[in-house]
Amino acid sequence: MMPSTPSSPKPLAGWRVLVPRGGPWGDSVAADLRAKGASPVVAAMINFAPTADSPALEAALARLAAGGFDWVTVTSATTVDVLSAARAVVPPSTRIAAVGETTAAALAAAGYAVDLVPSEDNSARGLLAEWEAATEGVVPLRILTLRSEIAKPLLTEGLRRIGHEVESVVAYRTIGIPVSENIVADVREGLVQAILVTSGSVAEQVQVQLGPIPETTLVAAIGPQTARDAREYGLRVDVIADERTAASLIEAVAAAATAHRSAAS
C-alpha cells in the first residue's frame, strides 16, 4: 500500500465508529479515531461499581499490607483504580503480576512496582502459561487474585491446579448502561460502520442491547480472549487487534476499512 499523502483520504473517512466506553479512555480513543477520519460515537455501555462484599476485599487488602501473600495478580486497570482508592499497600516482600501491558502501565502510574507481565499473550491465559517459568517452579506460593465479579476463574483455578494457595477476591462489579434509542436505531439501520469491543462485558452489552449486528457493520475485538468471550455471547467478531491496546484496535479497524475500500473500487 502506498504511503498516505496529504491528498489521500484518511483510512476511516466516512466511517462512524462506536466507542463503548466513556471517560478519559473514551475521549482518547475518539481523538485517535478522528485523526484517521472517523466520526466516533462515544456511548458508554458499562460502568464499574464497588464489590458487593466490601468486608472481604478490605480483609484481603489488610492481609496483603501485612505481608500475608507472596504474589498478588491484577487483571485490569479498573482493579488498579480500586487499589488506589483503597490506598492499598503492597509490601516489598509481595510481588505483583499484571495480566498485560495496559494493566502494568496503570500499576506503574499508581506507584506500584510490577514484577511479571506475560511476554506473549496479554491475558489471564497468557499469565498462567508463563507462571511456572517466571516463579522458577516454587510451590506453594500464597497468592491473592483480584478480579471482577463476572470474570471467569481461569487464573485462580489454574494456579490452584499447580499447587498454590490462592485467595480469590472480587474487587469490583461491572454493570451495563443502556445506550440511547438513537444509537440502537443507527446500529440496526447499518448507519454505524464499526463497533469496538474492549472486553467480554462490553461484548455482552453490545449483543444484548444492539444485536443482532448487521453484517455490514464491522465488529472489532481488542484481543483473542475478548473475541472468545464475544463469541460465547453470540456476538460475531470480524477483526481482532494484534495487541491488546486501543491503538492496535484502531489500526485493525483502519486496515479493514482500507481493504474494504480497495475491494469496492
Side-chain angles (χ1 to χ4, degrees):
M1 187 171 66
M2 294 295 291
S4 293
T5 65
S7 60
S8 300
K10 293 182 177 180
L12 291 174
W15 277 47
R16 296 180 73 209
V17 180
L18 190 146
V19 180
R21 286 173 53 192
W25 188 94
D27 292 342
S28 173
V29 169
D32 290 344
L33 285 167
R34 287 190 194 97
K36 292 189 179 295
S39 297
V41 179
V42 179
M45 301 190 76
I46 59 169
N47 204 350
F48 306 105
T51 173
D53 192 354
S54 294
L57 177 62
E58 290 167 7
L61 294 181
R63 287 194 294 278
L64 175 65
F69 299 99
D70 300 305
W71 282 84
V72 57
T73 65
V74 182
T75 55
S76 72
T78 304
T79 301
V80 180
D81 293 340
V82 172
L83 291 173
S84 295
R87 300 182 187 273
V89 174
V90 181
S93 59
T94 302
R95 304 179 76 188
I96 300 176
V99 77
E101 296 295 345
T102 301
T103 303
L107 282 162
Y112 296 104
V114 180
D115 299 283
L116 173 59
V117 183
S119 59
E120 298 293 333
D121 180 2
N122 277 198
S123 69
R125 193 183 305 272
L127 182 58
L128 188 59
E130 297 184 30
W131 185 270
E132 290 187 76
T135 58
E136 299 179 338
V138 175
V139 176
L141 293 167
R142 297 166 301 162
I143 305 169
L144 173 62
T145 59
L146 298 171
R147 60 183 180 83
S148 74
E149 186 177 55
I150 64 170
K152 297 180 178 68
L154 175 71
L155 183 59
T156 297
E157 291 179 355
L159 290 170
R160 284 176 178 156
R161 196 158 44 242
I162 56 180
H164 297 298
E165 299 172 5
V166 185
E167 180 173 348
S168 180
V169 177
V170 172
Y172 63 93
R173 293 178 294 134
T174 303
I175 56 177
I177 301 176
V179 299
S180 73
E181 292 181 6
N182 288 343
I183 291 175
V184 174
D186 284 354
V187 170
R188 290 182 177 168
E189 291 170 18
L191 301 177
V192 173
Q193 282 70 40
I195 298 174
L196 306 184
V197 178
T198 55
S199 67
S201 50
V202 165
E204 180 183 20
Q205 292 303 316
V206 168
Q207 178 68 356
V208 169
Q209 295 193 49
L210 306 176
I213 306 300
E215 292 291 332
T216 53
T217 300
L218 185 84
V219 180
I222 202 167
Q225 183 59 56
T226 298
R228 284 190 289 267
D229 290 343
R231 287 167 180 145
E232 284 186 12
Y233 287 120
L235 182 66
R236 186 190 79 250
V237 176
D238 301 302
V239 297
I240 302 172
D242 291 335
E243 299 176 13
R244 202 176 186 281
T245 64
S248 183
L249 182 59
I250 292 169
E251 285 298 333
V253 174
T258 299
H260 180 269
R261 189 174 290 112
S262 297
S265 62

